[in-house]
Amino acid sequence: MGRYVLSRCRQVVPVLFGVTLITFLLIHVGLGDPVRAMMGQRSDPEIAARIRTEYGLDKPLWNQYTLYMGKLLVGDLGYSYRQRRPVSRVLAERLPATVRLAFAAMVVALLVGGIAGTIAAVRHNTLWDLLIMTLSLLGISTPVFWLGMMLILLFGVWLGWFPISGYGDGGFTHLVLPALTLGALQAGYIARMTRSALLEVLRQEYVQTARAKGLRERVVILKHALRNAILPVLTLAGIGLAELLAGAPLTEMVFAWPGLGRLLVSALGNRDIPVVLGATLLFALIYLGANFLVDLAYAAIDPRVELTKR
Amino acid sequence: MEPLLVVKNLKKYFPLKRGIWFGEGAEVRAVDGVSFEVRRGETMGLVGESGCGKSTMARLILRLLEPTAGEVYFGKASVFETNKEEMRQLRRRMQIVFQDPYSSLDPRMPVDEIVGEGLTIHRLARGKEKTDRVVDLLEMVGLGREHMGRYPHEFSGGQRQRIGIARALAVGPEFLIADEPVSALDVSIQAQIINLFEDLQEQLGLTYLFIAHDLRVVKHISDRVAVMYLGQIVELADSDELYRNPLHPYTQALLSAIPEVDPQSKRQRIFLEGDPPSPVQIPSGCRFHPRCPKRFDRCDQEEPVLREVSAGHWVSCHLY
Amino acid sequence: MRAVDGVTLSVRPGEMLGLVGESGCGKTVTALSILRLVPDPPGRIVGGTISFEGRDLVRLPEEEIRKIRGCAISMIFQEPMTSLNPVFTVGEQVAEGIRQHQKVSRREAWDQAVEVLKRVKISDPARRAREYPHQLSGGMRQRVMIAIALALRPKLLIADEPTTALDVTIQAQILELLLGLQEEMKMAVMLITHDLGVIAETADRVVVMYAGRVVEEASVKELFDNPLHPYTQGLMESLPRLETGKARRRLRAIPGLVPNLLELPTGCKFAPRCPKVVEQCWPTEPELREIRPGHSARCILAG
Amino acid sequence: MTAWRQWHLGILLGSVLLAFFGLIGLLAPLLAPHDPYQIPEGLQAFSLLSPRPDYWLGTDLLGRDLLSRILYGARVSLLVGVLVELVVTPVGATIGLFAGYFGGRMDAILMRITDAVMAFPALVLAIALTAVLERPGLLSVIIVLTAVRWTTVARLVRGQVLSLREAEHIAATVVLGAGRGRIIFRHLLPNCLAPILVAMTFGVASNILSEAGLGFLGLGVQPPTVSWGSLLAEGAVYLTVKPWLCIFPGLAITCTVLGFHVLGDGLRDILDPRLRS
């Protein structure tokens, strides 16, 4: 296991490098002349030159990148023009809300999608199968934010079951609608994947072996088949997380959820570029971190992983 | 007789990747010092169990892989020293038929294009002439004009194998490597394809290197047979001689393991212990010694060499 | 599509019955039908009986047939690579069957599993039991499959091409093991294979199948000495032989393609490929007739 | 047999849906009952009308007919969806082909770049890019989505090429003496086309959703141009009071995307060689 973790780490490092390079280049292009951006109209050439030297902006691009990396390593993401405080502090405030939302959405997606997909596979070619597949097709075809609005209309305005906006006191009720909204798309994908993976696994000879032992069909499916079908589903969930996070800004806007996504959008409106790019980078890091966990889960379930990576 | 193909001390090691940054230098010794000749017009059989390196050999001879060491001469040309254009010319003379009738034909190409591709590549024929050649080739392998526009998935395994043979023959080769060409087929179809190989050899004067794990098939079709074990040839002899008088304990065990189609003949079985070792960790001395029923103290110390113990009968074993 | 059509065969206690035929002849479907393992849909048993110790398996409720699977009748499959579940240790997979049919603790089941692994001649069984299938060689995995099947000393073992995927030397080991265990446990074995050689060396009696039908049935000696059906004769002649000294003879291949079950002729199913076909072969399908005591064939020319 | 009927149904259904929305977009000027941009005189009387016979889907704040605006919006949404996919596919396919066919260092570098781009949630990266491009609009939407979306195709094609490279028919072609060009263009590429086609279908769906997302955040096409995304952004304000302003554009998006998904599923079924043999 340790070995596997190590090899995964080695794969993540180049990606991290690429990710930071991308944000760095964006900053570089995006800020145009950062000095003017910082100082606005009243730019004094002399002071500007001094600031340039101070921030290393007169150095070659490569040096600037190492400078940027150095700052990143100590958590320095720059300074928010708008909020007049370090970007890292702004982000740290918003991170928990987004993680909470994304986690809840993923749980919804895995539970709903997994169970629905399993039912569809076991009841293959029945009305249940058709119904579940139609719903999941709808799930992956609906724009996230529109689904959010419709849920607000239905459960918030017309039925009045759940609050429709804000974080509240951090309780459960405020989380329900945003998590459902954000999880629906992935639930659709996961249901489709679980179904096809399970159908594939049920065709395998080891399932036949299990049946030939005299095991109950329920045991055959829940123990022998599902354990194997989970593997491709996990991989998909890892990739799907990127999509889920992509839906975060939209969902957070619809529900006025005080997370990173909403911060990103409002910073964009204010042209607060350091915050935009800081949040962007943080999203990528969340994704990479979560995928790392998915890989570990994969290794824990599949004994073959150890060998192939060794 | 003059050799058409000479293989000299051929080696192919595949590195085992371990992580991205730290290589730990383990390697698979798929082919580990193989030498033999194939004479013009004969069928040379190559038998061995899975993982013994026989398919890697085929790919090396055709230069689908670059060797770790060693040489292959085809006629006068040294295969690994030819330049691109020379290699292209050489490829007209040596062809291959693969094992898997499913993956060996491009699923998106109709049969006439598959068979005619060699003609196009070497500018041997075009237009009507090409169509005629393709029909000739299809008829030669027992198919016909009516099959031209169809796609591979419309054919059975045996028919696909016939298409593969026609594709190889299109460029007019002298030498054909058959890499397990019948092992995926049903028994009744196997015989058809084996007969086809024999007929084509007679008609076209082809030379074959016939690779298989089924000793019955190899025995039937080959003039001489080489037995491979873990990347090396352990015995090589005329086909009848090898089956009448096997010398290497591995060959003896292989032969005795073949189920005989005669319930009366209860031969003495030689059972080998265990599985073939992995080509990553090759045993010291004679690489067969851990499974050999006749091993003695010298066997795990010293590696035997392939020696000619009687006319045309080569064996690599300390017993001789 | 009728994969298997009117197959009648019997296995006697302690006997090794060989079932030979080419791909698509229905031998695997026949075997799976005995334990009702044919996936439904698409497969369905539309008629007939399977009588085991006086009970009709076709009409047994699901609960009852489960008690027979893996206990009184077990089965091993062709591909040792794919017939073991990759995410469980081999010990768990053997013990699981034991626990299914006997009231034993987890611990006892495990000990029994290790014992069975030892019986199938796996070296160091206690350690091997804790390994996963991918850590074992093909031959070793097939031994594990045999261990799963034989853990509860079944009365009948159905072995579907148990050695086809293995190398010759390993194949010989596995067949020897099966023969030894059969002797020891006095069980009946139904050995399904396409290899006449394997049949000749192991079986007592042979059933030859073609296009979903039994075309010939006889004791092994009788069949090889005196094959009656042209298909059986063709199979034997199309096989290259090892004996030396003879001039190389051309193989007598059976012409044509392996039959397509969707386009079978109305009369004898082998007629399109038969070298001895006569006019009477086409209109109606011949019955399986006993030509000599204990030797039947489905051919109007036989006898 | 059932499989055959299923794909037939899927492709039929998908094609009908897409043909419907495609025609709507193409014929918008002919079909639209009102001018989608013109603010009517006497605005007060027309603002935020509920659906009624002369305004089937009602009107927006500025008294413009929602139906006409949805019809015109179809043009932008479909254009962006299809155009981006047409740009992204050859680019991504080329990158994937190179990485897969040449392997080694080329592959490692290209794939790390792909991984890095994919590590950013697509819409987040799109937002950041839009921020950098300064002026949002149709062009910026296309550029941004292209920059984000090429990775999917690249990954897909690389995987295909990697598995094809081992296929015996490729080896057989090499032995016949074929050059690189023939192997790539006559063998590798044709065998990738089916999965590429399927991916394109799903890709268009994904682009339409992304465009809608950007539009909703105000980063899409700018007024007076309308897209389904920007219609939703306008309507969001009146969600609780005039819900149809949100319901109808969203339905249009969902139905179109659904059409592409159904079509993609159908194509995958019929193009899968496993189902054909």
Side-chain angles (χ1 to χ4, degrees):
Chain A
M1 194 67 156
R3 200 171 193 128
Y4 175 69
V5 173
L6 202 74
S7 90
R8 289 298 306 158
C9 286
R10 288 207 295 263
Q11 279 170 34
V12 168
V13 169
V15 178
L16 273 178
F17 173 77
V19 164
T20 50
L21 192 60
I22 291 172
T23 41
F24 166 73
L25 288 175
L26 285 176
I27 292 175
H28 198 81
V29 178
L31 290 187
D33 189 343
V35 179
R36 212 192 54 203
M38 269 163 91
M39 298 179 45
Q41 302 301 325
R42 47 192 176 80
S43 111
D44 176 343
E46 203 173 299
I47 301 171
R50 211 166 64 216
I51 293 175
R52 277 203 179 84
T53 337
E54 195 175 318
Y55 284 86
L57 294 176
D58 52 347
K59 300 216 180 83
L61 206 58
W62 189 251
N63 282 355
Q64 289 188 45
Y65 175 65
T66 46
L67 214 69
Y68 169 74
M69 279 302 288
K71 283 184 180 168
L72 271 190
L73 285 179
V74 296
D76 178 3
L77 287 163
Y79 201 75
S80 164
Y81 307 149
R82 177 80 184 186
Q83 304 202 17
R84 306 207 173 274
R85 53 189 186 137
V87 172
S88 50
R89 189 138 356 123
V90 180
L91 295 181
E93 258 174 38
R94 300 297 195 98
L95 181 65
T98 291
V99 170
R100 202 166 112 91
L101 174 60
F103 182 78
M106 208 63 205
V107 170
V108 166
L110 281 170
L111 276 181
V112 174
I115 292 171
T118 306
I119 294 173
V122 175
R123 301 257 177 275
H124 185 42
N125 279 341
T126 63
L127 219 61
W128 279 107
D129 188 13
L130 187 70
L131 182 74
I132 289 170
M133 282 305 100
T134 310
L135 279 178
S136 56
L137 204 57
L138 274 174
I140 63 172
S141 303
T142 313
V144 178
F145 56 97
W146 185 66
L147 181 66
M149 296 196 238
M150 294 304 112
L151 291 181
I152 285 177
L153 271 184
L154 184 61
F155 295 109
V157 181
W158 295 338
L159 296 173
W161 291 355
F162 298 104
I164 57 169
S165 99
Y167 193 69
D169 50 6
F172 176 73
T173 47
H174 279 86
L175 186 61
V176 174
L177 290 184
L180 278 180
T181 304
L182 194 53
L185 177 81
Q186 288 313 310
Y189 279 121
I190 286 170
R192 282 159 63 101
M193 187 52 148
T194 308
R195 174 177 177 271
S196 70
L198 201 54
L199 285 176
E200 179 71 37
V201 167
L202 286 173
R203 276 196 293 271
Q204 299 295 315
E205 282 200 343
Y206 55 77
V207 170
Q208 196 128 79
T209 307
R211 288 197 184 115
K213 279 183 206 168
L215 300 184
R216 265 170 241 280
E217 192 61 17
R218 190 161 41 84
V219 179
V220 171
I221 287 167
L222 293 182
K223 182 175 172 191
H224 284 265
L226 213 53
R227 182 91 183 258
N228 282 283
I230 273 178
L231 295 169
V233 173
L234 257 185
T235 310
L236 182 89
I239 298 167
L241 192 73
E243 229 159 328
L244 191 143
L245 289 173
L250 296 167
T251 311
E252 291 180 3
M253 286 306 286
V254 172
F255 291 96
W257 187 262
L260 279 178
R262 191 142 166 272
L263 172 73
L264 179 69
V265 176
S266 61
L268 181 68
N270 302 330
R271 304 214 53 76
D272 195 348
I273 303 284
V275 172
V276 170
L277 294 172
T280 306
L281 181 65
L282 195 54
F283 267 113
L285 294 182
I286 296 173
Y287 171 72
L288 289 176
N291 256 286
F292 192 74
L293 294 180
V294 168
D295 279 339
L296 292 188
Y298 199 107
I301 295 175
D302 189 350
R304 286 165 297 184
V305 165
E306 191 85 29
L307 194 86
T308 49
K309 299 286 170 182
R310 211 184 292 161
Chain B
M1 218 193 295
E2 158 206 18
L4 178 65
L5 180 84
V6 179
V7 174
K8 270 192 191 162
N9 197 23
L10 198 58
K11 293 182 181 174
K12 178 70 189 178
Y13 299 166
F14 294 100
L16 270 188
K17 269 241 172 105
R18 296 195 169 197
I20 304 167
W21 292 341
F22 320 102
E24 281 171 40
E27 50 194 4
V28 179
R29 299 186 174 192
V31 173
D32 199 6
V34 170
S35 306
F36 64 93
E37 298 175 0
V38 182
R39 299 168 193 157
R40 197 177 286 277
E42 77 168 343
T43 300
M44 173 78 168
L46 198 59
V47 275
E49 296 179 282
S50 54
C52 74
K54 50 193 197 303
S55 287
T56 310
M57 279 285 305
R59 283 164 186 263
L60 283 168
I61 292 171
L62 293 166
R63 209 180 175 181
L64 284 167
L65 294 169
E66 294 291 327
T68 307
E71 288 150 276
V72 171
Y73 293 94
F74 185 78
K76 291 192 175 49
S78 169
V79 170
F80 299 123
E81 284 162 17
T82 52
N83 65 27
K84 221 174 174 180
E85 182 50 32
E86 286 165 345
M87 196 62 221
R88 233 172 69 85
Q89 291 308 318
L90 210 56
R91 290 203 187 286
R92 271 191 64 186
R93 301 171 59 198
M94 41 206 274
Q95 284 296 314
I96 185 166
V97 175
F98 285 107
Q99 167 179 10
D100 182 358
Y102 293 89
S103 91
S104 63
L105 303 178
D106 190 332
R108 306 265 166 213
M109 266 195 178
V111 167
D112 55 331
E113 273 186 52
I114 293 175
V115 174
E117 190 165 28
L119 300 172
T120 313
I121 290 170
H122 291 283
R123 299 194 184 81
L124 298 175
R126 53 195 293 190
K128 165 111 178 50
E129 200 192 336
K130 182 176 150 190
T131 313
D132 291 346
R133 278 288 295 140
V134 170
V135 173
D136 286 351
L137 285 161
L138 286 176
E139 281 169 358
M140 200 187 280
V141 297
L143 297 168
R145 182 182 287 273
E146 70 276 15
H147 296 118
M148 294 227 310
R150 300 199 198 155
Y151 285 84
H153 70 266
E154 299 173 59
F155 293 89
S156 68
Q159 287 175 312
R160 285 166 189 240
Q161 221 48 331
R162 290 173 192 271
I163 297 168
I165 295 170
R167 168 179 61 194
L169 295 178
V171 293
E174 303 151 52
F175 175 60
L176 197 62
I177 296 180
D179 185 4
E180 303 257 17
V182 296
S183 49
L185 306 176
D186 271 313
V187 189
S188 67
I189 308 298
Q190 265 189 9
Q192 295 175 0
I193 301 295
I194 292 170
N195 285 341
L196 176 63
F197 271 108
E198 289 184 332
D199 294 345
L200 291 169
Q201 183 166 42
E202 202 162 297
Q203 277 173 44
L204 306 168
L206 293 168
T207 306
Y208 289 147
L209 177 63
F210 199 96
I211 299 174
H213 67 271
D214 186 334
L215 285 91
R216 285 180 293 213
V217 170
V218 171
K219 157 73 173 53
H220 177 85
I221 201 168
S222 309
D223 300 304
R224 293 192 301 142
V225 175
V227 180
M228 280 188 81
Y229 185 77
L230 269 189
Q232 288 187 340
I233 291 182
V234 293
E235 186 163 6
L236 191 159
D238 276 359
S239 161
D240 282 346
E241 163 76 9
L242 186 90
Y243 286 82
R244 201 178 318 123
N245 183 25
L247 293 178
H248 198 286
Y250 177 62
T251 317
Q252 291 167 356
L254 267 187
L255 282 173
S256 85
I258 304 175
E260 190 67 86
V261 194
D262 179 3
Q264 252 77 317
S265 90
K266 292 289 179 199
R267 285 159 305 136
Q268 191 54 46
R269 270 274 170 83
I270 304 168
F271 289 107
L272 292 182
E273 300 159 23
D275 298 294
S278 118
V280 183
Q281 293 152 326
I282 289 182
S284 66
C286 171
R287 49 192 67 193
F288 183 57
H289 86 259
R291 300 176 76 199
C292 183
K294 296 181 180 171
R295 64 172 170 259
F296 56 100
D297 46 8
R298 202 171 143 202
C299 294
D300 60 348
Q301 307 290 324
E302 190 184 328
E303 193 166 2
V305 288
L306 191 66
R307 288 183 306 119
E308 190 167 15
V309 291
S310 63
H313 196 151
W314 298 69
V315 65
S316 147
C317 177
H318 291 311
L319 287 170
Y320 304 98
Chain C
M1 190 175 84
R2 299 176 161 208
V4 173
D5 200 354
V7 167
T8 301
L9 50 82
S10 62
V11 193
R12 299 165 197 146
E15 173 188 52
M16 172 87 78
L17 175 76
L19 194 57
V20 218
E22 297 180 286
S23 55
C25 75
K27 51 191 197 297
T28 299
V29 175
T30 305
L32 290 174
S33 306
I34 296 174
L35 281 179
R36 298 226 313 256
L37 286 171
V38 183
D40 175 11
R44 220 149 34 86
I45 301 176
V46 290
T49 57
I50 299 166
S51 157
F52 176 74
E53 292 184 325
R55 295 208 282 175
D56 183 1
L57 302 187
V58 173
R59 277 158 200 89
L60 229 46
E62 181 68 25
E63 196 68 11
E64 290 298 307
I65 189 102
R66 273 205 307 101
K67 286 185 186 150
I68 289 177
R69 288 181 192 153
C71 189
I73 306 178
S74 3
M75 192 159 177
I76 50 185
F77 302 100
Q78 174 173 356
E79 274 293 338
M81 294 309 189
T82 54
S83 49
L84 291 174
N85 196 326
V87 300
F88 297 112
T89 63
V90 296
E92 279 174 75
Q93 296 189 53
V94 181
E96 185 181 30
I98 297 172
R99 274 170 63 78
Q100 179 67 35
H101 297 287
Q102 290 183 351
K103 281 204 180 318
V104 290
S105 71
R106 202 168 277 274
R107 179 78 229 163
E108 282 168 308
W110 181 269
D111 291 343
Q112 279 187 38
V114 173
E115 199 53 37
V116 183
L117 289 174
K118 197 165 143 201
R119 283 258 286 277
V120 297
K121 305 215 172 69
I122 285 180
S123 55
D124 200 358
R127 186 173 60 87
R128 289 291 184 192
R130 283 192 297 273
E131 293 193 327
Y132 289 94
H134 71 268
Q135 294 166 297
L136 307 180
S137 69
M140 202 84 90
R141 280 183 235 189
Q142 202 57 303
R143 285 170 193 270
V144 173
M145 272 306 289
I146 295 174
I148 292 176
L150 300 190
L152 294 157
R153 298 180 162 263
K155 301 220 172 62
L156 171 63
L157 172 71
I158 303 167
D160 187 4
E161 305 257 9
T163 59
T164 306
L166 305 172
D167 280 319
V168 247
T169 58
I170 311 298
Q171 171 175 328
Q173 291 172 2
I174 297 288
L175 285 178
E176 188 66 17
L177 176 73
L178 270 179
L179 282 171
L181 289 168
Q182 182 195 16
E183 187 102 327
E184 191 187 317
M185 300 189 176
K186 307 269 178 285
M187 62 180 172
V189 177
M190 189 167 142
L191 180 73
I192 301 167
T193 177
H194 67 277
D195 190 333
L196 283 174
V198 169
I199 291 288
E201 296 222 332
T202 54
D204 301 316
R205 224 150 45 81
V206 189
V207 168
V208 183
M209 287 187 69
Y210 186 81
R213 284 147 182 82
V214 173
V215 294
E216 187 159 5
E217 180 181 348
S219 76
V220 72
K221 182 174 177 313
E222 170 73 13
L223 187 89
F224 281 86
D225 284 352
N226 192 11
L228 290 175
H229 197 282
Y231 174 64
T232 317
Q233 294 163 1
L235 269 187
M236 289 185 185
E237 282 169 4
S238 62
L239 210 65
R241 304 219 173 192
L242 266 187
E243 61 260 43
T244 48
K246 284 186 199 166
R248 233 206 262 170
R249 74 191 164 91
R250 209 177 137 76
L251 295 176
R252 294 257 289 281
I254 304 174
L257 308 176
V258 175
N260 176 349
L261 293 178
L262 293 173
E263 299 162 8
L264 288 178
T266 47
C268 173
K269 306 309 170 206
F270 187 58
R273 301 176 73 191
C274 184
K276 299 179 179 166
V277 63
V278 292
E279 216 166 297
Q280 293 92 301
C281 296
W282 296 102
T284 51
E285 183 167 15
E287 293 293 312
L288 186 67
R289 295 177 297 135
E290 183 156 12
I291 312 290
R292 297 205 257 160
H295 190 164
S296 346
R298 192 188 285 275
C299 177
I300 49 166
L301 299 172
Chain D
M1 280 298 115
T2 44
W4 188 85
R5 230 173 276 149
Q6 266 170 16
W7 74 252
H8 194 261
L9 192 72
I11 289 191
L12 196 76
L13 213 81
S15 309
V16 167
L17 263 173
L18 296 181
F20 176 72
F21 283 98
L23 277 178
I24 279 181
L26 274 179
L27 304 179
L30 297 177
L31 296 173
H34 302 272
D35 186 316
Y37 307 122
Q38 185 73 49
I39 299 165
E41 280 179 48
L43 178 58
Q44 295 290 314
F46 295 98
S47 177
L48 292 173
L49 292 176
S50 299
R52 53 189 237 187
D54 51 343
Y55 293 96
W56 288 3
L57 305 183
T59 59
D60 69 0
L61 180 70
L62 299 178
R64 294 170 299 194
D65 177 38
L66 183 62
L67 176 61
S68 306
R69 287 172 72 75
I70 288 178
L71 295 181
Y72 275 83
R75 305 183 127 191
V76 173
S77 291
L78 285 169
L79 179 79
V80 169
V82 173
L83 198 66
V84 167
E85 210 49 32
L86 288 180
V87 178
V88 149
T89 303
V91 173
T94 313
I95 291 173
L97 205 60
F98 265 80
Y101 184 73
F102 293 103
R105 184 161 294 177
M106 166 91 90
D107 182 36
I109 293 173
L110 286 174
M111 279 308 108
R112 288 300 86 77
I113 296 176
T114 314
D115 285 346
V117 174
M118 284 183 117
F120 293 98
L123 197 79
V124 171
L125 187 57
I127 291 171
L129 272 172
T130 315
V132 162
L133 286 174
E134 302 217 352
R135 181 170 283 151
L138 185 60
L139 188 65
S140 88
V141 170
I142 290 170
I143 293 175
V144 159
L145 289 184
T146 306
V148 173
R149 290 260 321 144
W150 61 270
T151 51
T152 319
V153 190
R155 274 270 185 98
L156 172 82
V157 171
R158 172 180 176 267
Q160 281 286 318
V161 170
L162 276 185
S163 66
L164 276 171
R165 232 171 41 155
E166 304 300 318
E168 287 183 342
H169 68 85
I170 300 292
T173 315
V174 175
V175 173
L176 282 175
R180 233 168 229 174
R182 171 171 282 271
I183 288 167
I184 291 178
F185 291 108
R186 298 299 299 273
H187 292 273
L188 292 180
L189 212 52
N191 277 291
C192 292
L193 282 184
I196 289 180
L197 189 66
V198 174
M200 279 179 83
T201 319
F202 290 122
V204 175
S206 163
N207 293 337
I208 292 176
L209 287 177
S210 298
E211 189 280 333
L214 285 174
F216 177 70
L217 296 178
L219 303 175
V221 293
Q222 299 300 310
T225 318
V226 285
S227 79
W228 291 337
S230 64
L231 283 176
L232 276 170
E234 290 168 19
V237 190
Y238 310 102
L239 174 65
T240 51
V241 282
K242 311 275 173 192
W244 59 85
L245 286 177
C246 288
I247 292 176
F248 293 114
L251 272 180
I253 298 175
T254 304
C255 291
T256 312
V257 172
L258 190 72
F260 279 104
H261 279 153
V262 173
L263 182 67
D265 280 349
L267 284 176
R268 181 162 54 199
D269 286 352
I270 58 158
L271 295 174
D272 189 337
R274 279 182 307 178
L275 290 174
R276 292 210 303 183
S277 55

